[in-house]
Amino acid sequence: MTADLAVVLALLVIAVGLFARGRPSMDVVALMVIAALPLTGVIDAQEALAGFSDQSVILIAALFVIGDALVRTGVAGALGGLIARAAGGSEARLVVLLMLAVAGLGAFMSSTGVVAIFIPIVLRIARNMRLPPGHLMMPLSMAALISGMMTLVATPPNMVVNAELVRRGHDGFGFFAFTPFGLPVLVLAIFYMLLVRRFLPGSTPAVGAAARPGLKDWIDEYGLAAREARLRIDPTSDLVGRRLGELDLRASVGVNIVAIERAGRFGRDLIRPEASTQLASGDVLLIDIFGKAFDVDAFGREHHLATLPLSGTYFLDGADEIGMAEAIVTPSSELVGQTPVTSRFRTIHGLSVIGMKQGSRALAGPLAEVGFQPGDTLLLVGGWKAIRRLAGSSADLVLLDLPREADDYAPARRSAPFAVAILIAMIVAMATGILANAHAALLACLAMGAFGCIDMKSAYRAISWPTLILIVGVLPFALALEKTGGIDLMASAVTHLFGDAHPRVMLAVLFATTAILGLFVSNTATAVLMAPVALAVAADIGASPYPFAVTVALAASAAFMTPVSSPVNTLVVGPGGYGFSDFVRIGTPFAIVTLIVAVFLVPILLPF
């Protein structure tokens, strides 16, 4: 062992120790590594900083943006709702469905990309089902890693091993050559996570999240369900072409128009009513009745409006666009002494007052003529954008609380079809190899911005910068170990010690060596270094190269043991609330299970 190798290994041990200790944070340790490695003389500053231009880092950053675009357009919420509905409130069923969905999608695109896209989906599901995110994030990362065992293009190590086979004159693997090995591992992983999820962090959901009110709570508390009505404007109605400002329905008949349903390009859109809004034939008015003498049927006959069936949930089905909030009237408010009508509340704030509390008692009956008093709690309804604008922007009101549904608001929902089309195009480009993964992801980011799925500020906020710094900081270790001969030394030792053993023993040793190397360098770099060793060992003992090549590829994907073994693990550390030891405790036993499956199954399907 050379002095340079000893120094690099010492730095590696220190870094791993700090990772395990958890202080300072992992991204700070990564920056320390970047600063320290050039001081050894093994690599220079340019090589230490090269990770910032690494394609995988660019890919991960782009996929963070794409994932947030899917959240902002409501696509993530819809997919999460689909999985949650299929789970039916069962955490065990949710884990199964989540792992199947992630492994299936990850078989055709970057596993890192799948995790970046699914993190906001899983957080949304955990919040809505009141589950600890830690119970779902590790199943997510494990399924994403196993997806690399499903197809040839699922992960770079598979393609590295395949390229080495072709370079040595052998036939390459077929597209689904890895599937017979990945499917059993996935099934075992699902059963394993169902058994060990109780040992993951976050045994109980956060109390604060559970205590937050929902729209349904306020609907019941303020008695709103009986006040809703839906009226469709017929072509012969005298309301067609008229503006809401000239109708002034709040003052004239005692109703609030909560929203307007109107036919759009992709189904029906919900429009926030404003004084300038012009009514059209076919519009459906969603109205809140607060006037004592208002007769829905008589109003409909007078203006040629069709009365539609009621939901009985006060437009809860429109919560994607229509929100509620509680606000308190301040002592110095200009609203004091005025009513909802005389204060022109709707015109000024874009929100309607549909409920009021004086003290802890919700007032019954019409509110149009009730004067505001200091300390009154108002229940407001309107578009989510108007509600968020109210926060901190009014001296008359203090926003008290937002419902749980506010977290699900998708400001770019109308761009959802474009987001889905862009995502599919990106996956196709990645799966077919038309474009490099990072290139496809960057083009997808630009397309998301061009079609209004995300704006620039949101894109920058979406990127998890500590995660990127951590990945960048770990990358130089692979180069330093290669330059100092550390990798070659380990590989030659394996050949020397176990070259005469039974081929199955050699498979186990190659798997373990590859997995251990993967603790310190990227799984792609591990495959690059171990694939030639595996094929050389096969040639030395006169065996087929295919079982040895597959074993290296499977071991490279079995990076379950530490949070820095793969970017997939690194991504879920923060959202799942995991520490270094959580991956060691949960991931190491399953890495051993995967080793056993590989040693048993590979020689059966690919004889020596």
Side-chain angles (χ1 to χ4, degrees):
M1 181 184 294
T2 65
D4 285 343
L5 177 57
V7 172
V8 171
L9 289 177
L11 280 177
L12 184 60
V13 170
I14 293 171
V16 171
L18 291 175
F19 283 146
R21 183 169 178 257
R23 288 184 298 175
S25 62
M26 290 185 179
D27 53 315
V28 173
V29 175
L31 288 173
M32 293 166 61
V33 168
I34 293 173
L37 279 174
L39 299 178
T40 66
V42 175
I43 62 175
D44 58 30
Q46 184 175 349
E47 291 170 323
L49 296 170
F52 285 103
S53 62
D54 188 274
Q55 283 199 32
S56 63
V57 175
I58 304 300
L59 172 64
I60 292 169
L63 291 170
F64 273 124
V65 175
I66 292 168
D68 194 59
L70 296 177
V71 173
R72 290 174 59 82
T73 55
V75 175
L79 180 56
L82 183 65
I83 295 175
R85 285 193 298 274
S90 167
E91 182 181 340
R93 194 178 303 143
L94 176 61
V95 169
V96 173
L97 292 171
L98 176 64
M99 294 185 73
L100 289 174
V102 170
L105 185 58
F108 301 97
M109 66 174 288
S110 160
S111 57
T112 304
V114 173
V115 172
I117 290 170
F118 263 83
I119 282 175
I121 296 174
V122 172
L123 288 175
R124 185 181 301 267
I125 293 174
R127 185 176 62 248
N128 291 340
M129 294 182 65
R130 299 183 180 181
L131 295 174
H135 282 198
L136 301 177
M137 286 296 167
M138 197 169 289
L140 167 63
S141 65
M142 185 171 285
L145 288 170
I146 294 170
S147 72
M149 306 178 189
M150 293 295 180
T151 64
L152 177 63
V153 301
T155 186
N158 294 354
M159 292 179 276
V160 167
V161 171
N162 185 69
E164 185 66 20
L165 277 171
V166 174
R167 190 180 70 82
R168 290 175 177 251
H170 303 288
D171 293 333
F173 290 114
F175 190 85
F176 292 104
F178 293 88
T179 309
F181 309 105
L183 285 177
V185 175
L186 176 61
V187 172
L188 290 172
I190 291 173
F191 281 109
Y192 179 74
M193 291 311 304
L194 291 176
L195 289 173
V196 304
R197 72 183 192 278
R198 70 192 66 182
F199 302 113
L200 291 170
S203 58
T204 57
V207 174
R212 250 176 106 187
L215 293 178
K216 183 66 168 61
D217 300 322
W218 283 340
I219 289 168
D220 293 339
E221 184 178 357
Y222 286 88
L224 303 179
R227 290 168 40 181
E228 70 170 329
R230 278 178 162 88
L231 300 171
R232 186 181 61 239
I233 300 177
D234 290 341
T236 58
S237 174
D238 61 342
L239 300 185
V240 174
R242 300 183 66 181
R243 300 184 186 278
L244 292 181
E246 64 180 276
L247 293 175
D248 196 13
L249 297 177
R250 290 191 300 278
S252 59
V253 295
V255 298
N256 278 317
I257 297 181
V258 175
I260 301 170
E261 290 182 8
R262 179 172 292 173
R265 286 179 299 175
F266 306 105
R268 298 191 68 82
D269 296 330
L270 277 179
I271 299 173
R272 184 170 69 88
E274 297 178 345
S276 60
T277 303
Q278 190 174 42
L279 299 177
S281 174
D283 284 354
V284 176
L285 308 180
L286 312 182
I287 66 174
D288 169 69
I289 304 167
F290 63 82
K292 286 182 179 179
F294 182 77
D295 187 324
V296 175
D297 294 330
F299 184 77
R301 287 193 299 269
E302 179 183 353
H303 296 285
H304 292 226
L305 307 175
T307 304
L308 301 181
L310 303 178
S311 67
T313 57
Y314 196 79
F315 315 121
L316 196 59
D317 48 348
D320 291 339
E321 298 286 345
I322 305 172
M324 293 184 191
E326 281 189 323
I328 190 169
V329 179
T330 63
S332 59
S333 173
E334 294 182 0
L335 295 173
V336 173
Q338 299 191 64
T339 68
V341 174
T342 60
S343 66
R344 300 175 62 246
F345 195 95
R346 175 65 171 270
T347 302
I348 295 173
H349 298 290
L351 300 167
S352 297
V353 180
I354 58 168
M356 185 184 299
K357 284 182 186 176
Q358 292 183 338
S360 60
R361 181 178 59 88
L363 300 183
L367 302 175
E369 303 304 324
V370 177
F372 297 122
Q373 299 298 324
D376 283 355
T377 300
L378 310 182
L379 182 64
L380 310 175
V381 67
W384 287 113
K385 286 185 179 178
I387 289 173
R388 293 187 183 276
R389 277 200 304 268
L390 185 66
S393 65
S394 174
D396 296 323
L397 297 165
V398 174
L399 200 62
L400 289 181
D401 207 355
L402 291 174
R404 293 189 297 270
E405 289 82 357
D407 296 333
D408 297 333
Y409 170 56
R413 189 172 297 276
R414 294 184 183 180
S415 298
F418 298 115
V420 172
I422 293 166
L423 178 65
I424 292 173
M426 183 189 74
I427 292 173
V428 170
M430 289 179 172
T432 58
I434 296 174
L435 297 172
N437 287 349
H439 190 193
L442 281 175
L443 288 175
C445 282
L446 292 173
M448 289 286 190
F451 286 97
C453 303
I454 193 168
D455 55 49
M456 188 63 73
K457 287 185 178 180
S458 299
Y460 279 115
R461 285 197 301 266
I463 298 173
S464 175
W465 299 104
T467 297
L468 294 185
I469 295 298
L470 174 58
I471 295 170
V472 167
V474 173
L475 287 175
F477 266 127
L479 181 60
L481 288 171
E482 184 179 3
K483 279 194 165 188
T484 54
I487 301 295
D488 291 337
L489 182 64
M490 187 178 298
S492 61
V494 171
T495 305
H496 177 73
L497 293 174
F498 300 97
D500 297 329
H502 188 276
R504 284 184 186 270
V505 175
M506 284 302 305
L507 291 184
V509 171
L510 284 171
F511 189 106
T513 304
T514 304
I516 291 170
L517 281 177
L519 297 178
F520 311 114
V521 298
S522 73
N523 55 1
T524 302
T526 302
V528 169
L529 296 166
M530 290 302 299
V533 174
L535 298 184
V537 169
D540 288 344
I541 65 175
S544 167
Y546 294 104
F548 294 87
V550 165
T551 298
V552 168
L554 294 177
S557 291
F560 311 120
M561 292 182 281
T562 74
V564 296
S565 299
S566 166
V568 167
N569 294 346
T570 306
L571 290 178
V572 302
V573 170
Y578 300 129
F580 194 94
S581 62
D582 294 315
F583 285 89
V584 176
R585 289 187 302 107
I586 304 298
T588 303
F590 193 73
I592 295 172
V593 170
T594 308
L595 183 154
I596 294 171
V597 171
V599 172
F600 173 76
L601 196 58
V602 167
I604 295 176
L605 299 178
L606 297 172
F608 293 116

